[in-house]
Amino acid sequence: MKKLIAIATLALAGSAMADSVTIENQNQRVVGGDENIKLYSLSVKKDFSANLAGDVLFSTTQGDNTKTLGSRLEVGLTPSTPLVGGVSAYTRVAVGNKYTNGADASYYSVEPGVKF
């Protein structure tokens, strides 16, 4: 947990140089269950060039009934390529860790997309 706090503090300190900072709050209802989840997240994004951006995401969740806790720390890179007119294609590649009450897990994600 100390590592998460230290990394979040560094992300906040680095946000002065960021191109965008997003703070989000969600209330998620779980279909077919009694548990509702509260999510809070902080995302910091920096454009390194016209076709490359990097981001850091920290999020935490808490269950309303069971009070289960979860956190994620994720770092991603997004290269993009202009196509036609104002259309561009991108692929975000990220790695992260998910921390829960029971176990921790590492993960990766690949998110292709089109932006216009």
Side-chain angles (χ1 to χ4, degrees):
M1 187 65 171
K2 291 179 185 177
K3 290 179 187 178
L4 286 176
I5 293 170
I7 292 171
T9 303
L10 288 174
L12 283 172
S15 67
M17 299 180 296
D19 290 329
S20 70
V21 176
T22 305
I23 299 172
E24 188 174 358
N25 175 20
Q26 293 182 15
N27 290 318
Q28 301 174 349
R29 299 188 75 184
V30 177
V31 177
D34 295 332
E35 183 79 315
N36 293 326
I37 298 171
K38 290 189 171 97
L39 173 115
Y40 304 95
S41 68
L42 169 69
S43 176
V44 179
K45 181 180 176 186
K46 174 72 177 163
D47 292 331
F48 299 119
S49 68
N51 297 327
L52 182 64
D55 63 273
V56 176
L57 169 73
F58 173 75
S59 69
T60 184
T61 59
Q62 181 178 4
D64 281 344
N65 297 333
T66 61
K67 304 298 182 199
T68 56
L69 299 173
S71 296
R72 288 181 188 256
L73 180 60
E74 185 175 295
V75 178
L77 279 176
T78 309
S80 62
T81 303
L83 297 175
V84 177
V87 178
S88 62
Y90 68 88
T91 301
R92 180 175 181 269
V93 179
V95 294
N97 280 329
K98 179 180 179 182
Y99 308 94
T100 61
N101 288 0
D104 300 340
S106 298
Y107 65 92
Y108 69 92
S109 67
V110 178
E111 306 166 21
V114 176
K115 184 169 134 179
F116 58 95

